[in-house]
Amino acid sequence: MPSVLYTDFICVVQYLYMQQTKTGIKPWMIIIGVLIILAIWVGSSYNRMITLRQQTRTSWAQIDTQLQRRYDLIPNLTSTVKGLTKQEQTIFGDLAKARASYSGAQGNPTAQATAANNVESAINRLLVIVENYPVLRSSEAFTGLMAELAGSENRVAVARKDYNEAVSGYETTRQRFPGSVIAGMFNFETIPYFQISSEEVKEVPKVDFE
């Protein structure tokens, strides 16, 4: 839409100039007409940037909601596992610390994404430990929690994909003309993607309950 307006703007300027030479339209009238068209163009481009930025914020809120639901399962998971793996206490402290870091990063998507990766890393390390305890894999409470975790993981993945697509749309518009001009004028800042930061987080261990 902004690109169309820009093309229209050039055409109108050319038209007004030709009319001025033919009909004697005053230069100040041309200037006012150009300013009006320019104001419409700027307003349209600005509104477009606002819409795209809001879409990224809405998408991030969905990620946050799904991560909060996922992390609300952690206390039950740790209490189920803790009593059976007393020699593996470090992981529980790391998990609690990572979860607290995520809660403390509310309002800062970049910090939340980093904290989320730390939580996922700790969860995956816990799953590796679980492999050494067959009795856990036969626990109905544990298998139920793991099923909930798996479902929440899928919902987070979908929300993350939607968010990154929204960021892509925003960033493409922000970096291309005329969006780049509007972004510079009104300080539309870069919005980071939600990246999975390590292979440990990307490759989720599979716990065999057979």
Side-chain angles (χ1 to χ4, degrees):
M1 180 64 178
S3 297
V4 174
L5 284 174
Y6 174 73
T7 303
D8 291 344
F9 169 73
I10 297 299
C11 292
V12 170
V13 170
Q14 292 174 339
Y15 172 77
L16 289 175
Y17 177 78
M18 292 173 62
Q19 289 297 107
Q20 187 270 334
T21 59
K22 291 180 179 180
T23 63
I25 295 176
K26 302 296 183 182
W28 64 266
M29 297 176 66
I30 295 178
I31 293 173
I32 290 177
V34 168
L35 290 176
I36 290 173
I37 296 170
L38 184 62
I40 294 173
W41 173 73
V42 170
S44 176
S45 298
Y46 176 81
N47 288 338
R48 172 66 174 163
M49 291 296 298
I50 289 290
T51 298
L52 291 172
R53 186 173 64 184
Q54 187 58 41
Q55 286 175 354
T56 68
R57 292 175 176 175
T58 300
S59 296
W60 179 261
Q62 289 298 316
I63 290 180
D64 187 41
T65 297
Q66 297 303 331
L67 286 174
Q68 290 287 3
R69 289 177 179 173
R70 179 169 171 80
Y71 299 159
D72 284 345
L73 299 172
I74 289 176
N76 289 336
L77 178 63
T78 55
S79 64
T80 301
V81 177
K82 208 168 186 177
L84 297 171
T85 59
K86 293 182 179 179
Q87 69 273 39
E88 304 280 7
Q89 295 301 304
T90 302
I91 183 61
F92 300 113
D94 293 344
L95 196 51
K97 182 178 178 181
R99 184 175 179 238
S101 295
Y102 180 83
S103 297
Q106 291 294 320
N108 186 338
T110 301
Q112 281 185 287
T114 299
N117 278 320
N118 291 336
V119 177
E120 297 302 320
S121 177
I123 290 175
N124 292 340
R125 283 157 49 206
L126 178 61
L127 297 183
V128 171
I129 291 172
V130 165
E131 286 287 350
N132 299 321
Y133 297 89
V135 66
L136 276 175
R137 288 176 284 170
S138 63
S139 165
E140 184 175 341
F142 179 76
T143 55
L145 285 169
M146 290 306 301
E148 290 187 62
L149 271 178
S152 66
E153 181 185 356
N154 292 335
R155 288 189 291 272
V156 169
V158 171
R160 182 171 58 238
K161 176 178 177 292
D162 291 343
Y163 168 77
N164 285 338
E165 287 178 351
V167 171
S168 178
Y170 169 83
E171 285 295 316
T172 298
T173 302
R174 192 184 71 84
Q175 294 174 29
R176 294 175 60 184
F177 183 84
S180 58
V181 176
I182 303 302
M185 289 173 58
F186 296 100
N187 196 30
F188 284 90
E189 298 180 347
T190 298
I191 296 177
Y193 290 91
F194 185 3
Q195 304 287 2
I196 301 177
S197 64
S198 71
E199 292 302 319
E200 182 180 9
V201 176
K202 290 177 184 177
E203 297 179 7
V204 181
K206 303 299 181 184
V207 180
D208 184 7
F209 299 112
E210 296 294 334

